[in-house]
C-alpha cells in the first residue's frame, strides 16, 4: 500500500504531465481527467490535513485546555508545533498549499474552523451556517454563499460546542437551542437536530469593535443630519423613545447611537438578553438575562431585570429588546419618573409598534381594559423611531413619529420625519429616497424647553434636507 507521500508525489506528476501538452486526448476526455485529478488532489489534501491535525493534537494534548495559558501563549505554542509537524511530513506540496493547511488547522484549534476567516473580516455583518456544507455571509445588507464547508456534521457540532462552552452554556438533545454571545460580543444562535432537520444551524451576528457613531449613520444614509440633531435633542431632553423595526433592520445600532447622546453625568442601567450595547459614559451598569439551568431552574428574564433596575436608582433605563410581559414594567418605569428611557421593539411600523406593546402588556396576565393600556402607552411613550432594511440591503430610518395623546379610544400619532420612497431606485438598484421633514412641529417641544434643551425650528422646515 502506497504512503500518503507517494500518493501526493504521484498527484504532483499528474499535474505536471497534464500541463505539458504531451497528450492528445479529446477535449471532453481531458476535461474529465482534469476533474478526476482535481478531486483526487482535494482528497489527498484533506488526508494530509487530517494527518497533521491528529499529530498536533497528540503532541499538545491537555496543554490546549490549560487555564493558565493566555490566548497569545496558546497561539504561539500551536503555531510552533504546527510548523514542526508540517516539516516532518515529507510531501511534495506547494508553499501555498502548505500555508493553507497550516491556517485551516490553526483556525480549527484556536478558532472556529471554516468560519474563522469570515469572523475576522470586518466588512461582514453576519455569518450563517446552514448545515455542514453550506455557509452564507451578509455583506452590505445582501446575502452571499461562500466557498467553504465543515468536514461533516460532527465537525460542525464540535465547533458549536466550542463556542457555547466558552461562555458557560451548553447545547444537546435536551437543550437543542442556544442564544449566547462570543467573548467579543458577537451574538450567536445555534439550533441542532432533532429541531434542525438537515443538520445543525449556526447564526453569528458580528459585533463591531469600533461602534458606529451618529456621523457614520448620516454617511450611510440611515438618517439625515437634521434628524440626528433632532434625536440628540430628544434624548438629552429625557423623552421616552422606542426604536422599532424588523429583524436585522439595525435597531440595536441605532439604539447604541441614541444612547451615546445621554449626558455623561447620569446613571444608566442597560438590560439585554445578550449584551451588545457599547456605551462610553462613566456611569453605566450592564445587566444580562440568564436562561434556566439543566434542571430548568434559575432563569432570570428581562422582566425580572427591569423590576430590579428600578431599585438601582437609575437616571435612565435602556432595554435592548422588549418582547414579552416586560413591556408592562417598562411602561410603569416610564410613567413613574424614569424619563429618558429607551428600548427596542419588533414591529412593521409606528402604529404596529403600539399594537405590539398592547399585546405584550396583556401577556403579563393582568386583566386590564384596552383603554387603560392605551392611556398608559400614550402617557409613557413620546417618540417612535422606526427603521427598515430596504430592498437594496440598506438600513434606513423611515419614520420619526410623535406619540401625541388619546382621542377617544385611539392613540394619535404625528410623523415628524418621513422617508420619501417616491424617488425610486438608480440603475444599480440603490434606493434614491431620503428622510424628509413633514413640516409638522412636535407637541413635546415645550417639554424639551423645560429640560433646557433648545431645538432649532428650522429642523422641521420642509425645504431641503
Amino acid at each position: 500500500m502506497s504512503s500518503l507521500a507517494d500518493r501526493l508525489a504521484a498527484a504532483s506528476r499528474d499535474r505536471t504531465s497534464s500541463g505539458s501538452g504531451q497528450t492528445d486526448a479529446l477535449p471532453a476526455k481531458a476535461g474529465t481527467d482534469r476533474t478526476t485529478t482535481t478531486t483526487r488532489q482535494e482528497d489527498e489534501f484533506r488526508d494530509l490535513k487530517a494527518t497533521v491535525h491528529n499529530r498536533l493534537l497528540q503532541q499538545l494534548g491537555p496543554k490546549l485546555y490549560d487555564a493558565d495559558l493566555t490566548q497569545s501563549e496558546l497561539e504561539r505554542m500551536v503555531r510552533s508545533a504546527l510548523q514542526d509537524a508540517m516539516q516532518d511530513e515529507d510531501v511534495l506540496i506547494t508553499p501555498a498549499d502548505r500555508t493553507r493547511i497550516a491556517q485551516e488547522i490553526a483556525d480549527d484549534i484556536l478558532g472556529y474552523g471554516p468560519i474563522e476567516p469570515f469572523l475576522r473580516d470586518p466588512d461582514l455583518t453576519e455569518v450563517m451556517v446552514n448545515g455542514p456544507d453550506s455557509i452564507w455571509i451578509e455583506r452590505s445588507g445582501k446575502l452571499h454563499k461562500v466557498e467553504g464547508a465543515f468536514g461533516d456534521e460532527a465537525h460542525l457540532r464540535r465547533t458549536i460546542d466550542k463556542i457555547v462552552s466558552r461562555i458557560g452554556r451548553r447545547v444537546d438533545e435536551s437543550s437543542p437551542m442556544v442564544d449566547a454571545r462570543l467573548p467579543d460580543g458577537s451574538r450567536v444562535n445555534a439550533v441542532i437536530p432533532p429541531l434542525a432537520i438537515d443538520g445543525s444551524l449556526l447564526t453569528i451576528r458580528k459585533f463591531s469593535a469600533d461602534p458606529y457613531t451618529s456621523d457614520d449613520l448620516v454617511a450611510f444614509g440611515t438618517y439625515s443630519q437634521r434628524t440626528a440633531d433632532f434625536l440628540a435633542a430628544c434624548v438629552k431632553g429625557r423623552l421616552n423613545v422606542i426604536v422599532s423595526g424588523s429583524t436585522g433592520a439595525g435597531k440595536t445600532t441605532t439604539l447604541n447611537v441614541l444612547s451615546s447622546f445621554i449626558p455623561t453625568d447620569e446613571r444608566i442601567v442597560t438590560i439585554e438578553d445578550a449584551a451588545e450595547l457599547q456605551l462610553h459614559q462613566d456611569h453605566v451598569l450592564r445587566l444580562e438575562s440568564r436562561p434556566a439551568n439543566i434542571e430548568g431552574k434559575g432563569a432570570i428574564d428581562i422582566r425580572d431585570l427591569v423590576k430590579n433596575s428600578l431599585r438601582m436608582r437609575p437616571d435612565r433605563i435602556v432595554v435592548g429588546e422588549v418582547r414579552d410581559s416586560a413591556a408592562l414594567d417598562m411602561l410603569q418605569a416610564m410613567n413613574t419618573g424614569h424619563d429618558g428611557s429607551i428600548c427596542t421593539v419588533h414591529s412593521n411600523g409606528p402604529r404596529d409598534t403600539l399594537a405590539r406593546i398592547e399585546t405584550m402588556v396583556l401577556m403579563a396576565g393582568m386583566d386590564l381594559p384596552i383603554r387603560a393600556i392605551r392611556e398608559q402607552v400614550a402617557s409613557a411613550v413620546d417618540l417612535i423611531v422606526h427603521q427598515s432594511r430596504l430592498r437594496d440591503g440598506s438600513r434606513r430610518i423611515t419614520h420619526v413619529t410623535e406619540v401625541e395623546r388619546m382621542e377617544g379610544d385611539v392613540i394619535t400619532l404625528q410623523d415628524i420625519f418621513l422617508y420619501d420612497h417616491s424617488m425610486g431606485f438608480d440603475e444599480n438598484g440603490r434606493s434614491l429616497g431620503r428622510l424628509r421633514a413633514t413640516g409638522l412641529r412636535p407637541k413635546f417641544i415645550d417639554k424639551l424647553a423645560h429640560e433646557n434643551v433648545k431645538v432649532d425650528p428650522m429642523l422641521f422646515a420642509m425645504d431641503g434636507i
Side-chain angles (χ1 to χ4, degrees):
M1 183 175 178
S2 63
S3 68
L4 179 61
D6 293 337
R7 284 186 281 133
L8 281 168
S12 179
R13 288 195 298 271
D14 287 343
R15 285 197 297 269
T16 303
S17 62
S18 64
S20 65
Q22 295 177 1
T23 60
D24 296 322
L26 293 173
K29 181 67 166 66
T32 304
D33 289 343
R34 281 195 296 270
T35 302
T36 304
T37 301
T38 301
T39 303
R40 186 165 65 247
Q41 291 167 4
E42 285 297 322
D43 290 341
E44 289 159 351
F45 182 91
R46 282 195 293 270
D47 288 343
L48 176 60
K49 178 182 169 185
T51 301
V52 176
H53 194 170
N54 290 334
R55 176 170 178 170
L56 192 66
L57 292 177
Q58 291 171 2
Q59 179 179 343
L60 297 180
K63 292 181 182 178
L64 294 173
Y65 306 97
D66 189 347
D68 295 331
L69 284 176
T70 65
Q71 184 66 20
S72 59
E73 290 172 339
L74 179 62
E75 287 182 10
R76 282 197 300 271
M77 182 181 69
V78 168
R79 294 191 187 281
S80 174
L82 183 55
Q83 187 175 4
D84 294 341
M86 288 291 295
Q87 288 175 350
D88 291 344
E89 291 294 328
D90 186 18
V91 292
L92 297 174
I93 58 174
T94 65
D97 282 346
R98 188 178 293 272
T99 301
R100 177 183 162 195
I101 289 177
Q103 186 61 56
E104 289 184 5
I105 293 176
D107 286 344
D108 260 340
I109 294 177
L110 298 171
Y112 303 118
I115 61 173
E116 184 66 25
F118 307 118
L119 296 179
R120 288 195 296 261
D121 189 339
D123 295 330
L124 304 186
T125 53
E126 203 131 9
V127 179
M128 292 149 279
V129 180
N130 307 335
D133 300 322
S134 179
I135 300 177
W136 293 71
I137 60 169
E138 182 187 75
R139 191 193 300 273
S140 302
K142 293 286 190 177
L143 298 183
H144 307 275
K145 188 173 183 179
V146 295
E147 294 294 330
F150 289 83
D152 50 25
E153 172 66 16
H155 185 196
L156 174 54
R157 284 289 298 275
R158 287 196 303 273
T159 301
I160 293 175
D161 287 338
K162 180 188 290 187
I163 291 173
V164 299
S165 64
R166 287 182 176 179
I167 50 180
R169 303 285 286 276
R170 75 187 204 293
V171 58
D172 51 35
E173 282 72 14
S174 64
S175 179
M177 292 191 301
V178 66
D179 191 30
R181 59 185 171 88
L182 295 177
D184 70 351
S186 298
R187 189 162 184 171
V188 178
N189 181 270
V191 186
I192 66 170
L195 299 188
I197 297 173
D198 299 319
S200 299
L201 308 175
L202 178 65
T203 308
I204 300 177
R205 179 168 297 172
K206 290 182 58 184
F207 187 79
S208 175
D210 184 19
Y212 291 133
T213 64
S214 180
D215 290 339
D216 292 326
L217 296 194
V218 172
F220 297 153
T222 301
Y223 57 24
S224 63
Q225 186 59 54
R226 275 192 188 191
T227 310
D229 295 341
F230 173 68
L231 293 177
C234 291
V235 172
K236 292 173 184 175
R238 304 186 64 81
L239 298 188
N240 293 319
V241 181
I242 292 180
V243 180
S244 63
S246 61
T247 299
K251 299 186 300 297
T252 302
T253 298
T254 299
L255 177 64
N256 205 63
V257 169
L258 294 183
S259 301
S260 70
F261 298 138
I262 298 175
T264 57
D265 60 346
E266 296 190 15
R267 179 177 169 91
I268 308 165
V269 177
T270 70
I271 301 171
E272 300 172 86
D273 268 332
E276 295 177 283
L277 294 176
Q278 296 170 280
L279 302 188
H280 297 294
Q281 286 86 344
D282 297 329
H283 205 162
V284 179
L285 297 86
R286 305 171 71 208
L287 304 180
E288 187 176 63
S289 64
R290 186 181 72 182
N293 61 19
I294 194 169
E295 287 133 9
K297 299 178 181 178
I300 305 293
D301 58 24
I302 293 291
R303 186 175 189 188
D304 297 325
L305 294 177
V306 171
K307 287 180 181 176
N308 186 75
S309 70
L310 300 179
R311 306 183 184 100
M312 298 172 67
R313 197 247 172 242
D315 289 312
R316 308 267 186 155
I317 301 174
V318 179
V319 181
E321 183 181 334
V322 176
R323 61 163 65 92
D324 52 23
S325 55
L328 176 59
D329 300 284
M330 193 68 203
L331 287 180
Q332 296 285 69
M334 291 177 174
N335 272 321
T336 53
H338 297 90
D339 292 332
S341 298
I342 314 173
C343 66
T344 70
V345 172
H346 278 86
S347 76
N348 295 325
R351 179 64 63 183
D352 287 338
T353 300
L354 300 182
R356 278 218 70 214
I357 292 175
E358 289 177 20
T359 303
M360 291 187 291
V361 169
L362 292 172
M363 291 169 64
M366 302 289 185
D367 190 15
L368 297 173
I370 291 295
R371 181 177 176 82
I373 297 174
R374 290 179 179 172
E375 287 176 345
Q376 286 280 302
V377 172
S379 173
V381 181
D382 296 301
L383 191 70
I384 297 174
V385 179
H386 185 75
Q387 189 158 349
S388 301
R389 183 170 58 181
L390 304 186
R391 186 177 182 83
D392 62 1
S394 62
R395 293 165 169 88
R396 306 291 180 92
I397 289 177
T398 56
H399 298 75
V400 178
T401 303
E402 178 187 14
V403 181
E404 290 192 293
R405 60 188 180 278
M406 288 284 292
E407 288 189 1
D409 289 334
V410 179
I411 301 175
T412 57
L413 301 178
Q414 174 176 271
D415 292 327
I416 309 301
F417 294 89
L418 199 59
Y419 191 80
D420 181 8
H421 292 274
S422 64
M423 300 179 71
F425 300 84
D426 64 14
E427 62 275 8
N428 298 317
R430 298 282 296 176
S431 174
L432 296 174
R434 294 190 293 177
L435 192 62
R436 295 183 179 275
T438 61
L440 300 175
R441 184 177 182 270
K443 305 292 191 301
F444 52 63
I445 289 293
D446 294 337
K447 184 176 180 180
L448 296 179
H450 295 158
E451 294 289 337
N452 195 27
V453 176
K454 296 179 175 59
V455 179
D456 184 355
M458 292 305 296
L459 290 179
F460 312 114
M462 293 184 65
D463 54 331
I465 290 294

